[in-house]
Each structure stands twice: as structure tokens, then as C-alpha cells.
Amino acid sequence: MAGSDASVKSLYHSLDEAKVGRKHWLTVFTSGMGFFTDAYDLFIIGTVTVLLTPIFHLNTNQISLLNSISLLASVAGALTFGRLMDKLGRKRMYGVEVAILVIGAILSAFAWNFTSLMIFRVIVGYGVGGDYATSAVITSEYSNRRSRGKLIGTVFSMQALGLIAGPAIASIFLSSGVPSDLAWRLMLGLGAVPAASVIYLRRKIRETPRYTLGIQGDLAATATTVEWITGEHTVTAPDITTPTAALPRPTTRLTQRPFLLRLVGTAGGWFLLDIAFYGNSVSSPLILKLLQPKGSLLDHTLLSLLIFVVAAFPGYWLAVFLMDRIGRKRIQWQGFAVMAAAFALIWLIPDGATSVAVFLPLFALSYFFTEFGPNVTTFVYPAEIFPTSMRGTADGISAAMGKFGGFLGALLVPHLLQSMGISGVMGIMAGVSIVGVLLTITTLPEPRGRSLEDVSQEMPALQVSQASQSDSPTATAS
């Protein structure tokens, strides 16, 4: 076993100290295009329901359901795909979820009434949930330790492009005179295009080296994948030719310490974040309509686009840039804190919810720190702080709780806007964000710069080997 132990440590070390290269970015692109589509599909529905209200004669309850049903369906998708990844492997599940999303988007474009559209949006949501559970874990298990936050964060930050693409495409259709009955179908159908472009790449992706090594114990397959990633021959131990090494099977459970507390932190933080994020984002046309009653749908769509471009988009990429420099924990709790302050000011200032000059800067500030804050970090965290044997399950549960929070936000905000107005809704969002600060500080570790095996307590001794070599030239990551 001495040779096997040395080979295992050598493979993990090669993964953790590798420079970020072309294969890393190929993995990021393959995963990221799914998130571009996820964002587009989840947020375009807010504009679509405004167009559909007179066509399908929608009432407030039906609008709320159409705005939120994909998020509820994504709960099931995240739980299913997360668990199956741990049982069957990452490779066998990858690409299936995005194919489901494509089918749902195409069918949505051909819906003929409220019921059919709701069913097709369920299919979209199931695929989106599966994508959340699979993409973060796969990117994490391919990453080195020094740039892992940047790589996983980049996958998620493709959502920023989807957020911009949604209102941009909607604005083009609304301003070009395309009939409403055709415009909403095109908006929904276009969501299938970017996802379809990466189905092949996802189905051909290699099994992650951490799964083949930590779960299957296959040193030979792991060495081949590590060499594919790094471009370097990594292991020369005599037993590397053995097809499957006799490594101990992990027995850790998610209900054990410290993982249960961590799960409370990842799932709870994501749940709270998505209440605010999806509640405000999906219902932004309704919020802006209350703020500017005389404005047209095109006016409100362009205003949403402006907020996303000026505030949300740079927030995503600043989080990516600083993720491995100042850490996930600080970015998350300070993001929640500024969100709480911005929402509270809109709630407490007398003209905060009625004056465009007061509301928009504060609303934009909340968006910037949502992205330069928990919207990115809640995606990164669960893919890092759990052992390989339960990483997919824990990530799936965390994503599912996030999407359930998003479902509640998207479902309830239209009703709350009617009964409490913008001010009341922002007061609730402030309270939600304060709880997010407390939960982040008390439950989550800081994984910055640490190997997955160290932070998840799978192989703490490996960190000693890494620390002794971390200052060598081969340890530098771009």
C-alpha cells in the first residue's frame, strides 16, 4: 500500500499545483454555457408573462406560477442529479440535464395555453436544477487549489451574460414591432440554442480525476486524466499499471460533524439569497411598473437592462477576480450586509420606494453586492467543503434549497407588491439579508487556497506535502 499511497498523493498534488491551462478553460466553457442558458430561461419569463397576460388572460395567481414554477421544478432536478452523481459518477450524468433543458425550452415556444406552458416550464426547471448540481462539482474536481474559486466562479458568472441577453433580446423584439404572440415564443425558444451547443462536449467530458481516484480507486484512469489536464507525465510508481488499486471506500456521512453544520450554511445561505435575488429579478417588470406607472414595457425592460449592465455585470466579475484573494466568506457576508443596508434604506427613506432618483441607485447597489457577494459564493461553496463521496449530494441539496427560496420569492413578490408595495417588499428583503450575514459567519469555513481533500477532511495529511512545495516554481497558477 506504500506505493499506492505515494501515487495517490502524487496525483492529488499534480492536480492542486497545476497551472491553469487550456483544458481547465475548456471545462469552464462547457459548464458555463449551461449557466448562460439557465439565467436566460429563468429571467426571460418575467417579460414573457407581461406579454402573455392579455393573450392567455392571466390573473395574478397564474402570473406568479409561471414566474416561479421552473424554480420549484429545479429543486427536484438538483436533488436528483446531485445524488446520482455520487452514485453513478459525474460523467454519466453530465449533458443529460442540459438536453432536458433544451427540450423544455423548445416545447415552451409552442405552448398553446397557460397549462401547457406551465408543464413545459417544469421541464425547463428540472434541467436547470440538474445543471446547478453537476457543473459546480465537475469544475471543482478539475481545478487546482489556488485558482479553484476563479474557475468555479467563472462558470456561474456566465449567468451575468444570460441576465443581459434576456432584456436585450426582449427589447429588440419589443422595439422592432414583432407581434406579441410571436415575440414571446421567440424569446422562450431562443433559450434552447446556447444549451444545445454544449450537449456533445458534456457527453464527451472525462470522468473527474477526483472521482476516479477517491471513489473508484482507479489510479491508471486518474493518471491519464491528470496528464490530459496538465500536459505532463505525473506518476511513475510501479503500481500505476494496476487497473484498480485497493483504496479504502469513504464512509463519511453528511449528518456527521462538521458537515451537517456546513450544509446548514450552504443550503440556508443559498435559500436566503435566492429569495431576494429571484424575488426582485423575476418581478422586476412589476416593480418598475409600480415605480413608473406611465412607463411602457419597453421602458421597464430597458431600465432592467441598464441595472444589470451597470451594477450586476461588474459585480459578478469582481467576485471572480477576488475570490481567491480575499476569500469566499468575506465576499459572502459583506455582500449580504450591503444588500441589507440598501433594502433597508429603500424601506425607511420616505421617498425610497416612490422616487426614481432615490430608488434606482439603491436598487442598483443591492444588485452589485448581490453579485459581488452571495450570488456567486453560494454556488462555489458547496462544491468545495464536502468530501468527494457526498459532494454531489450536498451540492444538490444546497442548490435545491436555493431554488426553493427563489421559487418562494418569485411566487410571493407579485402578491406582496399588491398588498405591501415596493417599500414593504424591500423591508422583508432587508431582514432576509441580515439572517444571511449571521448564517455565513457562524457556519462556513474559508476554503481559499486549500486543497479539496484538506478542506473536506478527506486527506488532511496531504496538505503537509503541498505546503512544503507551495513555494516551488511548479506551484504557481495563473
Side-chain angles (χ1 to χ4, degrees):
M1 287 297 294
S4 293
D5 186 61
S7 298
V8 168
K9 289 187 176 183
S10 176
L11 288 167
Y12 278 130
H13 181 79
S14 296
L15 278 171
D16 282 327
E17 305 307 325
K19 293 182 179 180
V20 175
R22 187 169 61 89
K23 296 301 193 298
H24 289 102
W25 290 118
L26 176 63
T27 304
V28 167
F29 170 78
T30 303
S31 300
M33 286 305 292
F35 274 86
F36 173 89
T37 306
D38 294 345
Y40 177 88
D41 282 332
L42 289 177
F43 294 113
I44 195 67
I45 192 65
T47 302
V48 167
T49 52
V50 174
L51 291 175
L52 278 178
T53 296
I55 298 173
F56 284 176
H57 308 291
L58 302 177
N59 57 40
T60 302
N61 288 332
Q62 291 173 321
I63 292 172
S64 297
L65 277 173
L66 285 177
N67 282 350
S68 60
I69 196 64
S70 289
L71 291 163
L72 183 60
S74 70
V75 172
L79 291 173
T80 302
F81 278 86
R83 185 61 178 158
L84 289 176
M85 272 204 306
D86 286 342
K87 289 291 186 182
L88 304 178
R90 292 25 170 164
K91 175 181 173 60
R92 290 181 67 179
M93 304 313 302
Y94 210 37
V96 176
E97 79 297 334
V98 80
I100 293 172
L101 191 161
V102 168
I103 292 169
I106 294 172
L107 289 174
S108 295
F110 292 95
W112 56 92
N113 59 17
F114 164 77
T115 302
S116 62
L117 181 56
M118 189 171 69
I119 292 171
F120 299 149
R121 291 291 295 175
V122 167
I123 298 173
V124 169
Y126 190 78
V128 167
D131 197 21
Y132 269 83
T134 55
S135 290
V137 169
I138 286 173
T139 306
S140 176
E141 292 182 352
Y142 267 99
S143 298
N144 64 11
R145 65 184 176 89
R146 291 190 174 187
S147 302
R148 189 174 59 242
K150 177 177 70 175
L151 294 173
I152 305 172
T154 298
V155 170
F156 185 74
S157 294
M158 291 298 288
Q159 185 184 82
L161 300 177
L163 278 174
I164 292 173
I169 290 173
S171 298
I172 292 171
F173 286 133
L174 292 172
S175 62
S176 62
V178 176
S180 296
D181 191 44
L182 176 61
W184 73 264
R185 296 181 187 278
L186 292 173
M187 290 178 195
L188 293 180
L190 284 173
V193 176
S197 69
V198 293
I199 292 176
Y200 176 79
L201 289 175
R202 290 193 175 194
R203 293 305 297 156
K204 291 297 182 181
I205 199 167
R206 296 167 182 251
E207 183 59 86
T208 70
R210 284 185 162 90
Y211 191 87
T212 56
L213 185 57
I215 304 303
Q216 297 175 337
D218 192 336
L219 292 174
T222 306
T224 300
T225 303
V226 171
E227 290 173 16
W228 177 77
I229 296 169
T230 64
E232 300 175 358
H233 185 64
T234 54
V235 178
T236 57
D239 64 346
I240 198 65
T241 56
T242 304
T244 303
L247 299 178
R249 183 78 176 179
T251 57
T252 312
R253 296 183 181 277
L254 198 52
T255 53
Q256 294 177 338
R257 292 184 178 182
F259 305 118
L260 183 58
L261 181 63
R262 294 181 181 186
L263 185 62
V264 170
T266 57
W270 208 337
F271 173 79
L272 295 166
L273 176 276
D274 276 2
I275 288 176
F277 182 55
Y278 285 93
N280 287 338
S281 298
V282 175
S283 296
S284 61
L286 301 178
I287 293 173
L288 295 175
K289 185 176 181 180
L290 284 177
L291 184 69
Q292 294 181 308
K294 296 182 180 179
S296 66
L297 176 59
L298 177 58
D299 294 334
H300 297 152
T301 303
L302 289 172
L303 193 54
S304 293
L305 177 60
L306 179 64
I307 293 171
F308 293 150
V309 170
V310 173
F313 186 82
Y316 278 100
W317 297 105
L318 185 61
V320 170
F321 179 71
L322 293 177
M323 187 80 65
D324 296 306
R325 300 180 184 224
I326 66 175
R328 293 74 157 135
K329 190 166 186 172
R330 177 181 167 185
I331 291 174
Q332 182 159 312
W333 74 254
Q334 76 179 13
F336 268 129
V338 179
M339 287 166 60
F343 294 141
L345 288 172
I346 295 173
W347 173 42
L348 295 172
I349 293 176
D351 295 331
T354 56
S355 169
V356 173
V358 177
F359 175 83
L360 282 184
L362 290 172
F363 198 55
L365 180 67
S366 76
Y367 261 102
F368 178 81
F369 277 94
T370 296
E371 316 313 343
F372 179 42
N375 196 32
V376 177
T377 55
T378 52
F379 179 77
V380 175
Y381 250 125
E384 294 186 300
I385 61 175
F386 298 97
T388 306
S389 61
M390 65 176 74
R391 189 170 291 131
T393 301
D395 197 285
I397 292 172
S398 301
M401 284 301 297
K403 293 299 143 287
F404 184 65
F407 164 73
L408 292 179
L411 179 70
L412 297 178
V413 164
H415 296 282
L416 293 173
L417 286 170
Q418 285 191 339
S419 61
M420 304 173 65
I422 294 175
S423 179
V425 169
M426 294 301 120
I428 291 174
M429 298 306 182
V432 166
S433 301
I434 290 171
V435 178
V437 173
L438 299 175
L439 197 63
T440 300
I441 292 173
T442 57
T443 64
L444 296 175
E446 177 53 67
R448 175 174 61 96
R450 299 166 65 186
S451 73
L452 290 178
E453 291 65 44
D454 174 51
V455 74
S456 66
Q457 301 183 2
E458 287 180 277
M459 195 181 291
L462 185 63
Q463 189 66 14
V464 176
S465 171
Q466 291 175 337
S468 66
Q469 303 182 54
S470 60
D471 294 328
S472 67
T474 58
T476 304
S478 61

